[in-house]
Short mmCIF file of all heavy atoms in Angstrom, two decimals:
data_model
loop_
_atom_site.label_atom_id
_atom_site.label_comp_id
_atom_site.label_asym_id
_atom_site.label_seq_id
_atom_site.Cartn_x
_atom_site.Cartn_y
_atom_site.Cartn_z
N ARG A 494 0.46 3.43 6.29
CA ARG A 494 -0.10 4.78 6.46
C ARG A 494 0.29 5.69 5.28
O ARG A 494 -0.50 6.48 4.80
CB ARG A 494 0.39 5.40 7.78
CG ARG A 494 -0.28 4.87 9.01
CD ARG A 494 -0.02 5.75 10.20
NE ARG A 494 1.40 5.84 10.53
CZ ARG A 494 2.02 5.05 11.37
NH1 ARG A 494 1.35 4.10 12.01
NH2 ARG A 494 3.32 5.19 11.62
N LYS A 495 1.54 5.54 4.83
CA LYS A 495 2.04 6.39 3.75
C LYS A 495 1.29 6.15 2.44
O LYS A 495 0.96 7.10 1.72
CB LYS A 495 3.53 6.14 3.55
CG LYS A 495 4.14 6.94 2.41
CD LYS A 495 5.63 6.64 2.28
CE LYS A 495 6.24 7.41 1.10
NZ LYS A 495 7.70 7.10 0.97
N TYR A 496 1.01 4.88 2.13
CA TYR A 496 0.44 4.55 0.83
C TYR A 496 -1.06 4.22 0.87
O TYR A 496 -1.63 3.86 -0.15
CB TYR A 496 1.18 3.34 0.23
CG TYR A 496 2.62 3.62 -0.08
CD1 TYR A 496 3.64 2.95 0.59
CD2 TYR A 496 2.97 4.54 -1.06
CE1 TYR A 496 4.98 3.20 0.31
CE2 TYR A 496 4.31 4.80 -1.35
CZ TYR A 496 5.31 4.13 -0.66
OH TYR A 496 6.63 4.38 -0.96
N HIS A 497 -1.67 4.34 2.04
CA HIS A 497 -3.09 3.97 2.14
C HIS A 497 -3.93 4.81 1.18
O HIS A 497 -3.73 6.03 1.04
CB HIS A 497 -3.58 4.18 3.58
CG HIS A 497 -4.85 3.44 3.86
ND1 HIS A 497 -6.07 3.86 3.42
CD2 HIS A 497 -5.06 2.28 4.55
CE1 HIS A 497 -7.01 3.02 3.82
NE2 HIS A 497 -6.41 2.04 4.51
N PRO A 498 -4.87 4.17 0.48
CA PRO A 498 -5.72 4.88 -0.50
C PRO A 498 -6.48 6.06 0.08
O PRO A 498 -6.77 7.03 -0.63
CB PRO A 498 -6.68 3.79 -0.98
CG PRO A 498 -5.91 2.52 -0.80
CD PRO A 498 -5.12 2.71 0.44
N ASP A 499 -6.81 6.00 1.37
CA ASP A 499 -7.52 7.12 1.98
C ASP A 499 -6.63 8.36 2.07
O ASP A 499 -7.12 9.49 2.08
CB ASP A 499 -8.01 6.74 3.38
CG ASP A 499 -9.14 5.73 3.32
OD1 ASP A 499 -9.69 5.52 2.23
OD2 ASP A 499 -9.46 5.13 4.37
N VAL A 500 -5.33 8.13 2.17
CA VAL A 500 -4.38 9.24 2.23
C VAL A 500 -4.00 9.70 0.83
O VAL A 500 -3.61 10.86 0.62
CB VAL A 500 -3.11 8.80 3.01
CG1 VAL A 500 -2.10 9.94 3.10
CG2 VAL A 500 -3.48 8.31 4.40
N ASN A 501 -4.13 8.80 -0.15
CA ASN A 501 -3.75 9.10 -1.54
C ASN A 501 -4.90 8.80 -2.48
O ASN A 501 -4.81 7.90 -3.34
CB ASN A 501 -2.52 8.27 -1.94
CG ASN A 501 -1.36 8.42 -1.00
OD1 ASN A 501 -0.56 9.33 -1.13
ND2 ASN A 501 -1.26 7.52 -0.02
N PRO A 502 -6.02 9.49 -2.35
CA PRO A 502 -7.19 9.19 -3.19
C PRO A 502 -6.89 9.37 -4.68
O PRO A 502 -6.35 10.38 -5.10
CB PRO A 502 -8.24 10.20 -2.70
CG PRO A 502 -7.46 11.30 -2.06
CD PRO A 502 -6.25 10.65 -1.46
N GLY A 503 -7.22 8.32 -5.45
CA GLY A 503 -7.04 8.39 -6.90
C GLY A 503 -5.62 8.17 -7.37
O GLY A 503 -5.35 8.19 -8.58
N ASP A 504 -4.69 7.92 -6.46
CA ASP A 504 -3.28 7.72 -6.83
C ASP A 504 -3.04 6.22 -7.06
O ASP A 504 -2.89 5.45 -6.13
CB ASP A 504 -2.37 8.24 -5.71
CG ASP A 504 -0.90 8.25 -6.13
OD1 ASP A 504 -0.51 7.46 -7.00
OD2 ASP A 504 -0.13 9.05 -5.55
N LYS A 505 -2.99 5.82 -8.33
CA LYS A 505 -2.84 4.41 -8.68
C LYS A 505 -1.48 3.85 -8.23
O LYS A 505 -1.38 2.70 -7.83
CB LYS A 505 -3.01 4.22 -10.19
CG LYS A 505 -4.41 4.49 -10.70
CD LYS A 505 -5.40 3.48 -10.12
CE LYS A 505 -6.80 3.70 -10.64
NZ LYS A 505 -7.76 2.73 -10.03
N LYS A 506 -0.45 4.68 -8.35
CA LYS A 506 0.88 4.23 -7.95
C LYS A 506 0.93 3.93 -6.46
O LYS A 506 1.49 2.92 -6.02
CB LYS A 506 1.93 5.28 -8.31
CG LYS A 506 3.35 4.83 -8.06
CD LYS A 506 4.35 5.88 -8.54
CE LYS A 506 5.79 5.40 -8.29
NZ LYS A 506 6.80 6.40 -8.74
N ALA A 507 0.32 4.81 -5.66
CA ALA A 507 0.28 4.59 -4.21
C ALA A 507 -0.54 3.35 -3.89
O ALA A 507 -0.21 2.58 -2.97
CB ALA A 507 -0.31 5.81 -3.51
N GLU A 508 -1.60 3.14 -4.65
CA GLU A 508 -2.44 1.95 -4.44
C GLU A 508 -1.65 0.67 -4.68
O GLU A 508 -1.76 -0.30 -3.92
CB GLU A 508 -3.65 2.01 -5.37
CG GLU A 508 -4.62 0.86 -5.18
CD GLU A 508 -5.84 0.97 -6.08
OE1 GLU A 508 -6.10 2.08 -6.60
OE2 GLU A 508 -6.51 -0.06 -6.29
N GLU A 509 -0.84 0.66 -5.74
CA GLU A 509 -0.01 -0.51 -6.04
C GLU A 509 1.03 -0.74 -4.95
O GLU A 509 1.30 -1.88 -4.55
CB GLU A 509 0.67 -0.35 -7.40
CG GLU A 509 -0.27 -0.45 -8.59
CD GLU A 509 -1.02 -1.77 -8.63
OE1 GLU A 509 -0.37 -2.82 -8.41
OE2 GLU A 509 -2.23 -1.76 -8.86
N GLU A 510 1.63 0.36 -4.46
CA GLU A 510 2.61 0.24 -3.39
C GLU A 510 1.95 -0.31 -2.12
O GLU A 510 2.53 -1.12 -1.40
CB GLU A 510 3.25 1.60 -3.10
CG GLU A 510 4.17 2.10 -4.18
CD GLU A 510 5.38 1.21 -4.37
OE1 GLU A 510 5.87 0.63 -3.37
OE2 GLU A 510 5.84 1.07 -5.52
N PHE A 511 0.72 0.13 -1.85
CA PHE A 511 -0.03 -0.34 -0.69
C PHE A 511 -0.26 -1.85 -0.77
O PHE A 511 -0.11 -2.57 0.22
CB PHE A 511 -1.36 0.40 -0.60
CG PHE A 511 -2.19 0.04 0.59
CD1 PHE A 511 -1.83 0.44 1.87
CD2 PHE A 511 -3.35 -0.71 0.44
CE1 PHE A 511 -2.60 0.11 2.98
CE2 PHE A 511 -4.12 -1.06 1.55
CZ PHE A 511 -3.74 -0.64 2.81
N LYS A 512 -0.59 -2.33 -1.97
CA LYS A 512 -0.80 -3.77 -2.16
C LYS A 512 0.50 -4.54 -1.95
O LYS A 512 0.50 -5.61 -1.34
CB LYS A 512 -1.35 -4.04 -3.56
CG LYS A 512 -2.77 -3.53 -3.79
CD LYS A 512 -3.22 -3.78 -5.22
CE LYS A 512 -4.63 -3.25 -5.46
NZ LYS A 512 -5.06 -3.45 -6.87
N LYS A 513 1.61 -4.01 -2.46
CA LYS A 513 2.90 -4.69 -2.30
C LYS A 513 3.32 -4.73 -0.84
O LYS A 513 3.86 -5.74 -0.36
CB LYS A 513 3.98 -3.97 -3.14
CG LYS A 513 3.83 -4.18 -4.64
CD LYS A 513 5.11 -3.84 -5.39
CE LYS A 513 5.44 -2.36 -5.31
NZ LYS A 513 6.64 -2.04 -6.15
N VAL A 514 3.05 -3.65 -0.12
CA VAL A 514 3.39 -3.60 1.31
C VAL A 514 2.60 -4.65 2.08
O VAL A 514 3.14 -5.36 2.94
CB VAL A 514 3.12 -2.18 1.86
CG1 VAL A 514 3.10 -2.20 3.39
CG2 VAL A 514 4.17 -1.20 1.37
N ASN A 515 1.31 -4.77 1.77
CA ASN A 515 0.47 -5.77 2.44
C ASN A 515 0.94 -7.19 2.13
O ASN A 515 0.98 -8.05 3.02
CB ASN A 515 -0.99 -5.60 2.01
CG ASN A 515 -1.72 -4.55 2.81
OD1 ASN A 515 -1.72 -4.57 4.03
ND2 ASN A 515 -2.34 -3.61 2.14
N ALA A 516 1.28 -7.44 0.86
CA ALA A 516 1.74 -8.77 0.46
C ALA A 516 3.06 -9.12 1.15
O ALA A 516 3.26 -10.26 1.58
CB ALA A 516 1.89 -8.84 -1.06
N ALA A 517 3.96 -8.14 1.25
CA ALA A 517 5.25 -8.38 1.90
C ALA A 517 5.06 -8.68 3.39
O ALA A 517 5.69 -9.60 3.94
CB ALA A 517 6.16 -7.16 1.72
N PHE A 518 4.19 -7.92 4.03
CA PHE A 518 3.96 -8.12 5.47
C PHE A 518 3.31 -9.47 5.74
O PHE A 518 3.62 -10.12 6.75
CB PHE A 518 3.09 -6.99 6.01
CG PHE A 518 2.83 -7.10 7.49
CD1 PHE A 518 3.86 -6.86 8.40
CD2 PHE A 518 1.58 -7.44 7.98
CE1 PHE A 518 3.63 -6.96 9.78
CE2 PHE A 518 1.35 -7.55 9.34
CZ PHE A 518 2.38 -7.31 10.24
N GLU A 519 2.43 -9.91 4.84
CA GLU A 519 1.76 -11.20 5.02
C GLU A 519 2.78 -12.33 5.13
O GLU A 519 2.62 -13.26 5.91
CB GLU A 519 0.83 -11.48 3.83
CG GLU A 519 0.13 -12.83 3.93
CD GLU A 519 -0.62 -13.19 2.66
OE1 GLU A 519 -0.68 -12.36 1.73
OE2 GLU A 519 -1.11 -14.33 2.59
N ILE A 520 3.86 -12.24 4.37
CA ILE A 520 4.89 -13.29 4.37
C ILE A 520 5.89 -13.08 5.50
O ILE A 520 6.20 -14.01 6.26
CB ILE A 520 5.60 -13.34 3.00
CG1 ILE A 520 4.62 -13.79 1.93
CG2 ILE A 520 6.82 -14.26 3.05
CD1 ILE A 520 5.16 -13.69 0.52
N LEU A 521 6.41 -11.87 5.64
CA LEU A 521 7.48 -11.63 6.61
C LEU A 521 6.99 -11.61 8.06
O LEU A 521 7.79 -11.74 8.98
CB LEU A 521 8.18 -10.30 6.30
CG LEU A 521 8.88 -10.23 4.93
CD1 LEU A 521 9.63 -8.92 4.79
CD2 LEU A 521 9.83 -11.40 4.75
N SER A 522 5.69 -11.48 8.27
CA SER A 522 5.15 -11.51 9.63
C SER A 522 4.86 -12.94 10.08
O SER A 522 4.56 -13.17 11.26
CB SER A 522 3.86 -10.68 9.72
OG SER A 522 2.85 -11.22 8.88
#
C-alpha cells in the first residue's frame, strides 16, 4: 500500500520499492 504506483504516481523510486516488495513476498510466502 505504501509503495503502490497508484499512491505514488510518477515516483520511480517508489515503483522500484514496490517491485522489490512483490519479489520478496513471492519467495517468503
Side-chain angles (χ1 to χ4, degrees):
R494 284 195 298 269
K495 178 180 178 181
Y496 295 115
H497 198 284
D499 289 347
V500 181
N501 306 274
D504 189 333
K505 293 295 182 182
K506 186 175 180 180
E508 183 178 342
E509 289 302 315
E510 290 296 326
F511 182 72
K512 292 177 181 178
K513 288 198 294 185
V514 165
N515 276 307
F518 182 70
E519 178 189 355
I520 294 172
L521 299 184
S522 63

